[in-house]
Amino acid sequence: MCGILGLYAPYNVYDELLFGMNTLQHRGQDNAGMVIWGETLYLKKGKGLANVIFQDETSVEGKMGLGHIRYATQGDTSLENAQPFAVNKPFGLAMIHNGNVTNFEELRKFLSVSHGRVIRSSNDIELILQAFTLFLERSTSLGPDALFAAVEQTQALVQGAFATIALLAGRGILAFNDPYGIRPLCLGKKQNEKGETSYMFTSETTTLDYLGYEKVRHLDGGEAVYIDEARQIHSSRGFLRKRKSFCVFEYIYFAREDTVFFDRLVATEREAMGRTLAKHFRSAQLNPDIVIDVPSSSYFCAKGIADELGVPYERGLIKNNYIGRSFISPQQSLREQIVKQKLNVIRSYVEGKKVAVVDDSIVRGTTSKHIVKLLKQGGAREVYFVSASPPLKFPCVYGIDLSRKAEIIASSHSQEAIRRFIGAEALIYPTLEDLRAQFSPDEHCDACFSGVYPTQVNDELFLQMEREKSYAGR
């Protein structure tokens, strides 16, 4: 999962681009990069956070640019694999994406062996970029029709999830989605006092809010939108559009609570999840004294439970905001270290009480186990651990770090076994049916819970992804 941003404005976009990248920092902390077109193509990328990497670029100027916040799922975290990627032929072109290519090896062979393309990294955006330029070079023009034709051919060749933005030096900004629309991509605009329009493509509407843009719409599966050199919109919808399969985990964990996807506010959806979970407390005859959340993605779910049960909500755990998100850290040892440094218990709130603690999910179980231990050390009499999502059981092939089934505890352990492992007096999950009542499987991908993938997958793909993650974790 990554954060992507594209800007085209009548003024220098550097400041807005960097600020926008900061609003997407929760989506990844491995690498950050930007490319800006002025008189030349400026490209810089580095390891870590955007505001650390980009401190001394006051002289950079250009009216179109791309920004990328990376959380590595394909390839390691080296700078070689950081985005954006750029080529000079058939003209200056840079590209970023969010997602994961599932026919990576097949596509690499097609491009390198059959068409002589040199693939230098293990990042799948290079494959998308090379495929797109291969098809574009066959055109006799570089207008919207030629670009859309190259997009359609790219969508037919590349499999998996890919929300993509491309900068065409001196010509415009192009954005396109995979046919299923698995990853988020929205378009926004604003006008200045002169009546000139600026455009933005971004992963989350939060970025639009901070920078004063108005949401135009989310891109559909298979859609492409091109903003030309005159900042005019050209749109072509649904080249190879398939059944809508938007990632449900965006609502559960990845997106910020103030983001809106397809007119659904993430905060409202998480609160509704909590209200649904309250019924499982009643059926299990559990009566917590307080409900607390694991900061910061679980607040609204915890609030929904507390309101529905008529139980006080408290801030029983405090997060160190200068520690990263443990789920998106690349190695297990680093994840465990982050968890230990990230949370502290407010003893006076939990001591002697039956505490329901809500987290967005349980993946490996080690974080949950540590949280239960913290609460009991803080004096909690009983701990009822609550997952906002159903049991995660299946690998994600679309860009979430759930590629190794052996690391997903619910894939091999019963709910009771997980409860014993984490040390809680009770463990509460919503059912898959609960989730699907809120997020229709006809419009969402819930493969990590159900094992039903919108695209074709096979055992070799899972083995390949496990080998990739094993190598990257060395």
Side-chain angles (χ1 to χ4, degrees):
M1 191 71 66
C2 301
I4 59 175
L5 175 66
L7 285 170
Y8 193 5
Y11 47 79
N12 184 14
V13 298
Y14 174 79
D15 289 339
E16 280 196 358
L17 191 63
L18 180 55
F19 187 39
M21 291 168 68
N22 289 332
T23 70
L24 295 170
Q25 194 69 75
H26 59 285
R27 298 184 68 87
Q29 297 152 14
D30 293 332
N31 305 103
M34 73 162 61
V35 61
I36 290 180
W37 170 256
E39 295 182 359
T40 59
L41 202 65
Y42 163 85
L43 190 153
K44 181 178 179 179
K45 42 194 175 182
K47 283 192 168 187
L49 306 182
N51 61 0
V52 175
I53 297 166
F54 301 100
Q55 292 183 335
D56 302 311
E57 276 69 32
T58 53
S59 62
V60 177
E61 291 190 12
K63 295 182 179 181
M64 62 177 73
L66 306 179
H68 190 270
I69 299 296
R70 183 168 186 241
Y71 146 57
T73 56
Q74 179 72 42
D76 58 32
T77 60
S78 66
L79 283 183
E80 180 184 65
N81 284 309
Q83 301 185 42
F85 275 62
V87 294
N88 294 319
K89 183 182 178 182
F91 49 81
L93 194 155
M95 189 175 283
I96 57 176
H97 94 309
N98 172 28
N100 195 61
V101 172
T102 57
N103 61 335
F104 187 89
E105 291 301 327
E106 176 187 339
L107 191 54
R108 187 208 293 267
K109 290 176 183 176
F110 171 81
L111 291 167
S112 59
V113 177
S114 301
H115 295 278
R117 301 279 167 155
V118 178
I119 307 300
R120 294 184 171 86
S121 76
S122 56
N123 191 311
D124 39 11
I125 186 58
E126 186 176 14
L127 301 181
I128 300 173
L129 174 61
Q130 290 289 353
F132 177 77
T133 55
L134 172 68
F135 297 129
L136 191 59
E137 286 170 6
R138 297 174 179 176
S139 176
T140 57
S141 70
L142 293 174
D145 290 343
L147 293 172
F148 291 154
V151 168
E152 184 174 10
Q153 291 172 292
T154 303
Q155 291 170 329
L157 181 65
V158 179
Q159 297 175 19
F162 47 95
T164 310
I165 313 175
L167 182 154
L168 290 68
R171 295 177 180 271
I173 298 280
L174 171 70
F176 60 92
N177 250 340
D178 67 80
Y180 295 86
I182 296 171
R183 293 280 157 244
L185 187 57
C186 65
L187 169 65
K189 68 176 183 179
K190 72 176 177 181
Q191 285 190 328
N192 62 17
E193 64 279 359
K194 298 178 182 178
E196 299 169 316
T197 304
S198 304
Y199 290 98
M200 176 193 294
F201 296 102
T202 185
S203 299
E204 298 191 27
T205 59
T206 297
T207 309
L208 302 178
D209 296 339
Y210 274 109
L211 292 170
Y213 282 71
E214 168 195 353
K215 185 186 78 172
V216 176
R217 68 172 184 274
H218 281 85
L219 270 66
D220 293 326
E223 183 177 3
V225 175
Y226 175 51
I227 313 295
D228 67 18
E229 61 269 23
R231 293 193 306 281
Q232 299 297 311
I233 293 182
H234 303 265
S235 178
S236 186
R237 295 194 180 204
F239 288 129
L240 300 171
R241 188 175 182 180
K242 305 291 185 179
R243 177 181 63 81
K244 183 179 176 182
S245 301
F246 185 69
C247 175
V248 74
F249 217 64
E250 288 283 352
Y251 290 105
I252 295 168
Y253 173 75
F254 264 103
R256 279 182 40 151
E257 297 95 329
D258 49 348
T259 282
V260 175
F261 294 126
F262 303 102
D263 299 320
R264 300 176 71 161
L265 177 64
V266 171
T268 302
E269 299 302 327
R270 290 180 183 171
E271 188 169 346
M273 294 176 201
R275 293 186 179 278
T276 297
L277 278 161
K279 72 180 184 182
H280 294 285
F281 277 86
R282 294 192 181 100
S283 63
Q285 297 183 335
L286 294 173
N287 299 296
D289 297 316
I290 61 170
V291 179
I292 68 172
D293 65 303
V294 178
S296 55
S297 57
S298 305
Y299 164 74
F300 284 97
C301 184
K303 180 179 182 298
I305 294 172
D307 288 351
E308 190 70 16
L309 293 178
V311 173
Y313 164 82
E314 299 285 1
R315 289 287 304 277
L317 291 169
I318 297 298
K319 176 186 175 182
N320 182 345
N321 289 320
Y322 299 96
I323 302 294
R325 299 182 93 178
S326 58
F327 182 90
I328 59 177
S329 299
Q331 298 179 13
Q332 176 64 19
S333 59
L334 182 56
R335 284 190 289 264
E336 292 176 0
Q337 182 181 354
I338 287 174
V339 170
K340 290 177 182 178
Q341 297 175 359
K342 184 169 65 173
L343 298 173
N344 192 32
V345 176
I346 303 179
R347 175 180 284 271
S348 62
Y349 283 3
V350 305
E351 192 168 20
K353 294 179 181 176
K354 295 179 290 184
V355 179
V357 57
V358 186
D359 205 354
D360 49 76
S361 59
I362 300 173
V363 183
R364 301 160 187 89
T366 51
T367 297
S368 308
K369 184 175 185 177
H370 177 68
I371 291 168
V372 172
K373 182 179 178 181
L374 273 179
L375 290 168
K376 290 195 172 183
Q377 288 175 342
R381 179 155 59 98
E382 292 184 356
V383 176
Y384 309 146
F385 201 94
V386 185
S387 169
S389 67
L392 286 158
K393 293 183 177 181
F394 302 94
C396 175
V397 300
Y398 304 122
I400 296 178
D401 191 13
L402 294 172
S403 58
R404 302 183 66 182
K405 193 171 184 179
E407 292 184 347
I408 305 173
I409 191 170
S411 69
S412 57
H413 292 70
S414 67
Q415 183 168 332
E416 174 57 20
I418 298 171
R419 183 198 67 77
R420 290 197 302 268
F421 173 77
I422 67 176
E425 276 68 37
L427 173 59
I428 301 292
Y429 280 111
T431 65
L432 179 60
E433 291 72 24
D434 291 335
L435 183 74
R436 287 183 163 182
Q438 186 172 348
F439 302 104
S440 168
D442 294 331
E443 295 186 346
H444 298 87
C445 174
D446 58 21
C448 53
F449 308 112
S450 66
V452 179
Y453 296 88
T455 67
Q456 186 174 2
V457 299
N458 54 43
D459 291 340
E460 177 56 34
L461 172 61
F462 295 134
L463 290 173
Q464 175 189 321
M465 294 181 69
E466 289 207 13
R467 287 193 297 267
E468 173 70 28
K469 293 307 292 184
S470 296
Y471 178 81
R474 290 178 184 174

